[in-house]
Each structure stands twice: as structure tokens, then as C-alpha cells.
Amino acid sequence: MLEHLWYKNAVIYSLDLESFKDGNNDGVGDFEGLIERLDYLHALGVDTIWLAPFQPTPNKDNGYDISDYYGVDPRHGSSGDFVNFMHKARGLGIRVIIDLVVNHTSDQHLWFKEARASKDNPKRNWYVWSDHKPSNWNKGMVFPGVQKATWTKDPKTGSYYFHRFYDHMPDLNTDNPEVRDEILKIIGFWLQLGVSGFRMDAVPFVLESPKPDVDSTKLHYGYLKELRRFLQWRKGDAILLGEANVLPEETVNYFGEAGDGIHLMFNFFVNQHLFYALASTEIEPLQKALEATREINPTSQWAHFLRNHDELDLGRLTEEQRQRVFQEFGPEKNMQIYDRGIRRRLASMLGNRQQIELAYSLMFTLPGTPVIRYGDEIGMGDDLSLKEREAVRTPMQWSSEGQAGFSDSNKEVKPVISEGIYSYKQVNVKDQKRDPNSLFNWMAFMIRLRKECPEIGFGSWEIIPVKPKGILVMRYEFKEEILVFVHNFTAKGEELVLTTRQAKTQRLIDLINKVESIADEDGRHTIILNAYGYRWFRGGE
């Protein structure tokens, strides 16, 4: 049973093929380059790679505008290169999950070209149309301030088509059984090529039934169970990782009461309150967010992250909380985006090694599966001169040599960061691998340590109330094993007292430092914390 729950103790590494490594020196990342760097990922300790879309695309939205679900974009190589990559990854014990982007297609997809050709075309009902301009034509936009509408007139037939995202990405009509059958074929195709699952993009929008003149519609959660049944029929241990930024009380609809929906879901709610805690040192909202997302089926799992390929979304915070995070981590207007988020990398937001370590130590010890964004293991920064979310999608910085070791071409698909403290000359893999005190080597150690603590993924947990403000203490229990994690969000050192009743053990063995605590005659452990300090303990006899 535990083998089929492999995702509960996995460490997932998110990367964009286009920006990771260019193997043929044409300026675009590809499978040839990724194959070259698989040994690096293996040495880092990750055991699952999440690949952003790599299928054929006009590439107007970072590859999320797909024009063919059954192939590889020629810029990234061929289907043969993909199979070679899968073979090498499997040999290193690395699983691969890929993006499943089925809320919409590119307007250059053959399906949409056929659908817009005439109103009686067989593919017409694969998309969502209105013969009149809907009253809600400019409502429900995902990218406010950038996106102008959600219904756009098609000049070929004079009808309006629906697009939750940009107008070049028309929504598929998942109410149509033919569309749902096709999505199952897509899943089956990539499973046959060896992937271990899918990161499902924009899940709530896949489930909706948009209609003209209607602002909100019922979501069809049963569709997730349909996907789950097919997935596990084809490959028993394959998983679905859902992107759904929803309120805690809605999550059961996605996981399923019996755990028969998606396997994992990104915990946006905890993520946003985590950043508020980092900005303010107030941990009570974070504790409440953890408790609010506690109750899920034992086979379901949260995926915890710090940063991803999009903006840091703060839309679930109160206005006062959001402004505090803006003040600390994105004070300038060009650092903010969509009136709700921050378009910066973690290192440039936090600005110091102590808090970066604190944030990652905390993420690794939250109840769920950790997800790391490429480049964060070396502390890459952002390029705010690039538009929108492109600021956090710059090429991986491999060395201090020309073009950051990403490519030998002078025509990169995206510019490398070449100036400032986050330039590739200051921040790169090659230099950090040789420095025993580097962020890279610290991260590799912490990943290894996390994988030695399966209690986090499988066990029960409790938040232990303590007197010093700004300190989060969590205890895990699994198979008579006990783990205790302590994190100090404040900029000053603290002395913390834990009773044996709280720790449930007389002996606390430090997993990072060569020390341990034996409870005194009054049954107390005294724990010293540095500013932004963290401690990992295992209970001992």
C-alpha cells in the first residue's frame, strides 16, 4: 500500500524545459539539455520532476497554449528525445509528472480551427460559443489589468467564444462527452510513454460550465473521479496533482470524501499565510490555515511550495495582511501584479540566507509533499524588466561563463540575469557545488533529511502552543516514532521550554546538529533558537 502512496514522501522539482538547459545551442532549452543535467537533479536528491508544457505551441503563454497534445514542440526535440529522457530518468529512480492543460487550447489548435470554420462543424461544440455578445463578456478574468475580456467575437462566424484566460486560448467544453473522452486519450498516451502522473492546470475552470449572461455555474466534481478511475485503471500508482486555489471548505470536493478525486493539491491557502508569517512574525493566521486544511482523506495529500512559475498570489489574505506582505517583499509597484500578487523569486523577496533557510526548513516540515522551483536551490533572483510573470522564468544559472552556462548561443529564448547580486556571475550551480557552505549544499542536505522523515508525509501532527510569540512548534507521530520541529520567525534569539508532555519524549535528538536534549528532573527540554532559527528533533528512548 505504501508503495502506491509514493507521492506522500516524494520531493518534487518543478522546471520549465525552455529555460533549464539548451543542449543543441539554439538558445532554447530542450530534452537533450535536460538529459545532461539529470545527474545534477539526482545528486540534489529530488525523486520527481514536474515538467511544464513541452508540446507544440505558438508559445504566447509560456507553452500553456497547446496546439497539439500528442507531440513534442520541435524547439525542445522530438518524441524520441522524450523517450530517451524518460529512460535516463527511470534509470536514476526519478519519476516524471507532466502538465495536463485541458481547460483550454491554443487558437492555433486544429480543433479550434475546425470549430470556428462554421456553426455546423463537428468540432463546434468542443468549445463554448454565444451567438450574441454576453452581458458578462468582461467578467471573471484571471489576469485583471492585462486581460480585457472573457468572451471574444470570432470574425469568421460572428459568434463569441469563451476564454477564461487570454483570447488566444479558447476554453474547451468539458460538458461535451467527446471532449472528456479525448482528455482520457491524452492521459493514456502519456502514461504509455512512462509518466507517473499529471499536474492538472486550472482545475476549477476545467470543471465549470460557462454560459453567456451567467456569472457563475455549478462545478462538476464528478469529472475528477472519472479521471481518477481511468488513470488508475491504466497505471495503478499514477497520480493527479491539482492546481486549485480554493477555500479550505471546498477542498473535499477536489480530493473526494473517500479520497477518490485528485491525489494531491497545492495548498495555496497555507502558502499565502506562510508568507504573511514571514513578513509579520505573526504565526497565528498560519496556524489557523494549517488547522483549516487538516481534514483530508488519509490517501490524499497536500503539496506545499514557496514559489512557482506564476506570481505569489495573495488573494486569500485580508487587505491589511496583503499590504503587509507587499510592504515587506514587494514594495515597488513593478514588483506587484494583477492587484493581488508579487512577481519575484524567493531569494530576492527575503533577501537574506537566514530567512531563506527558515522558509525552506518550514516548507519541508509542513504536512504534505514539498515542491521546489528550479533555481531556488541556488537562490536565483528575478528580472523585473521582463513583462508580467516572465520576471521569474529566466534561464537556469549553471556557471559564471557566458550565458550562465545555459546555452552557447547568443540568442537565448529569454535573457539570463547578468547584472546585480543575482547575476549568473554571482549565483550559479558550478560555484555553489564547490562551496560546502553554499545554499545548494544546504538544500541537498535538507532534501536528504526530509526523505529520512517519512513521518511528515504519513503521520499525524499537532501544533504545540508555546509562550514565545513568533515560534511555531509541530509534532508528528507515525509507527511509534516522534518528530518535533521548531521554527523561529523573529529576528531575535529565543529560549524555548518544551515539557515532556508536549514533546511526548524524554529525549530529543537533533537531526541537524550533533546535540540532544534530555529532559530535566522537572520534565522540561530547554531549546535555544537563533534569529530565524530552526531545529529538527527525533524522539529517542
Side-chain angles (χ1 to χ4, degrees):
M1 180 64 178
L2 293 184
E3 291 179 359
H4 280 75
L5 300 177
W6 61 268
Y7 53 89
K8 280 182 165 281
N9 204 41
V11 177
I12 300 174
Y13 188 91
S14 159
L15 68 87
D16 185 343
L17 201 63
E18 182 178 73
S19 304
F20 197 63
K21 183 68 174 77
D22 175 16
N24 62 1
N25 295 317
D26 64 353
V28 181
D30 46 40
F31 279 111
E32 183 180 343
L34 177 54
I35 289 171
E36 290 177 16
R37 298 303 184 186
L38 277 176
D39 288 327
Y40 163 81
L41 296 177
H42 184 251
L44 180 60
V46 299
D47 53 20
T48 306
I49 295 172
W50 157 27
L51 284 181
F54 53 83
Q55 291 88 353
T57 172
N59 206 29
K60 293 183 179 180
D61 186 30
N62 202 48
Y64 282 83
D65 48 329
I66 293 175
S67 57
D68 179 5
Y69 288 100
Y70 297 102
V72 173
D73 192 291
R75 299 175 310 134
H76 302 316
S78 66
S79 296
D81 293 322
F82 175 81
V83 171
N84 285 343
F85 156 70
M86 291 297 299
H87 176 73
K88 179 71 179 291
R90 187 181 301 112
L92 293 172
I94 298 175
R95 293 177 180 267
V96 178
I97 62 176
I98 68 173
D99 256 293
L100 181 66
V101 187
V102 291
N103 160 251
H104 55 263
T105 70
S106 165
D107 61 0
Q108 297 305 303
H109 198 294
L110 181 60
W111 301 341
F112 189 68
K113 289 182 177 180
E114 291 184 27
R116 74 195 314 184
S118 67
K119 292 184 178 182
D120 58 357
N121 190 280
K123 288 291 192 292
R124 184 71 171 185
N125 197 36
W126 281 44
Y127 295 86
V128 182
W129 299 90
S130 173
D131 287 334
H132 65 276
K133 185 176 183 179
S135 59
N136 57 338
W137 65 274
N138 60 350
K139 302 289 180 61
M141 292 171 290
V142 174
F143 306 126
V146 177
Q147 188 181 353
K148 304 301 182 185
T150 52
W151 291 88
T152 294
K153 188 175 184 178
D154 179 39
K156 293 198 174 185
T157 62
S159 297
Y160 290 78
Y161 63 89
F162 180 77
H163 51 92
R164 180 61 73 182
F165 295 87
Y166 297 112
D167 60 4
H168 58 80
M169 296 155 67
D171 275 33
L172 284 165
N173 176 17
T174 51
D175 284 344
N176 185 340
E178 292 181 4
V179 172
R180 295 202 302 273
D181 286 346
E182 190 68 34
I183 292 172
L184 297 182
K185 290 179 183 177
I186 295 167
I187 290 173
F189 177 82
W190 292 106
L191 286 176
Q192 198 68 26
L193 291 180
V195 304
S196 293
F198 303 86
R199 178 265 186 187
M200 193 171 177
D201 186 57
V203 178
F205 301 141
V206 177
L207 308 180
E208 68 179 351
S209 300
K211 293 178 174 57
D213 310 316
V214 178
D215 289 338
S216 62
T217 62
K218 181 180 179 181
L219 300 186
H220 304 287
Y221 299 109
Y223 183 33
L224 294 176
K225 297 180 181 181
E226 183 181 326
L227 291 177
R228 170 77 172 255
R229 285 194 297 269
F230 178 84
L231 182 83
Q232 298 205 281
W233 175 56
R234 285 292 180 93
K235 188 173 184 179
D237 64 348
I239 58 105
L240 290 172
L241 166 58
E243 181 201 28
N245 187 353
V246 298
L247 292 170
E249 56 267 28
E250 299 171 18
T251 57
V252 66
N253 298 319
Y254 294 85
F255 285 128
E257 290 187 8
D260 52 355
I262 54 179
H263 301 73
L264 301 98
M265 189 157 66
F266 288 109
N267 199 327
F268 286 93
F269 198 69
V270 164
N271 174 263
Q272 296 178 42
H273 289 89
L274 187 158
F275 274 93
Y276 176 69
L278 290 171
S280 67
T281 74
E282 297 176 23
I283 64 170
E284 290 80 6
L286 173 59
Q287 291 174 320
K288 290 179 179 178
L290 286 165
E291 293 290 356
T293 55
R294 172 191 288 275
E295 298 300 329
I296 58 176
N297 188 277
T299 60
S300 301
Q301 182 83 316
W302 288 111
H304 289 289
F305 64 103
L306 292 172
R307 290 295 292 112
N308 57 23
H309 61 292
D310 290 329
E311 76 279 6
L312 170 61
D313 192 331
L314 304 172
R316 298 297 180 186
L317 300 181
T318 66
E319 182 61 27
E320 182 180 354
Q321 291 171 334
R322 184 161 46 251
Q323 291 305 319
R324 181 64 183 274
V325 180
F326 280 152
Q327 176 186 334
E328 294 294 326
F329 301 143
E332 298 175 19
K333 199 63 180 175
N334 74 329
M335 297 174 177
Q336 302 168 20
I337 189 171
Y338 309 139
D339 301 322
R340 64 168 186 255
I342 299 175
R343 61 187 201 107
R344 302 185 74 189
R345 281 263 194 174
L346 182 73
S348 53
M349 277 196 293
L350 300 184
N352 65 83
R353 174 73 177 267
Q354 287 173 294
Q355 276 190 298
I356 292 172
E357 288 191 13
L358 171 70
Y360 262 105
S361 172
L362 177 64
M363 186 198 74
F364 283 131
T365 59
L366 290 177
T369 299
V371 183
I372 303 169
R373 178 66 175 162
Y374 83 90
D376 277 359
E377 73 272 22
I378 59 171
M380 277 179 57
D382 41 64
D383 185 350
L384 295 174
S385 70
L386 300 177
K387 68 177 184 178
E388 299 181 52
R389 298 167 296 171
E390 295 300 308
V392 297
R393 299 170 177 174
T394 56
M396 182 66 174
Q397 295 170 192
W398 293 105
S399 71
S400 60
E401 300 162 3
Q403 316 310 321
F406 164 73
S407 175
D408 289 339
S409 172
N410 292 319
K411 298 179 180 179
E412 307 94 345
V413 65
K414 297 172 184 175
V416 298
I417 297 177
S418 57
E419 298 180 357
I421 61 174
Y422 297 105
S423 78
Y424 64 86
K425 294 179 181 179
Q426 307 295 325
V427 178
N428 64 74
V429 170
K430 188 175 182 180
D431 289 348
Q432 290 199 21
K433 286 182 72 174
R434 294 180 293 181
D435 177 2
N437 298 313
S438 68
L439 182 60
F440 168 83
N441 281 307
W442 177 87
M443 189 75 76
F445 169 77
M446 295 301 284
I447 290 173
R448 184 166 61 252
L449 187 58
R450 168 61 182 82
K451 293 170 77 172
E452 292 172 357
C453 298
E455 294 87 351
I456 301 172
F458 292 110
S460 61
W461 58 273
E462 294 293 336
I463 296 173
I464 301 175
V466 294
K467 286 185 177 180
K469 291 185 176 180
I471 295 180
L472 178 66
V473 183
M474 297 185 71
R475 184 189 65 242
Y476 287 83
E477 296 181 62
F478 181 67
K479 290 185 175 180
E480 300 183 356
E481 292 287 333
I482 293 174
L483 294 175
V484 177
F485 302 105
V486 185
H487 290 88
N488 177 16
F489 286 77
T490 72
K492 61 178 182 178
E494 293 281 4
E495 182 177 284
L496 171 69
V497 174
L498 281 182
T499 67
T500 52
R501 184 177 181 179
Q502 291 173 314
K504 289 192 174 182
T505 179
Q506 292 282 340
R507 182 184 179 199
L508 288 173
I509 303 168
D510 194 310
L511 297 179
I512 297 176
N513 306 292
K514 294 181 179 180
V515 296
E516 60 182 64
S517 172
I518 305 295
D520 64 20
E521 59 185 14
D522 295 322
R524 299 181 305 179
H525 296 280
T526 300
I527 298 170
I528 305 300
L529 291 162
N530 295 327
Y532 304 124
Y534 52 91
R535 306 286 295 274
W536 292 37
F537 296 104
R538 181 174 290 280
E541 295 296 332

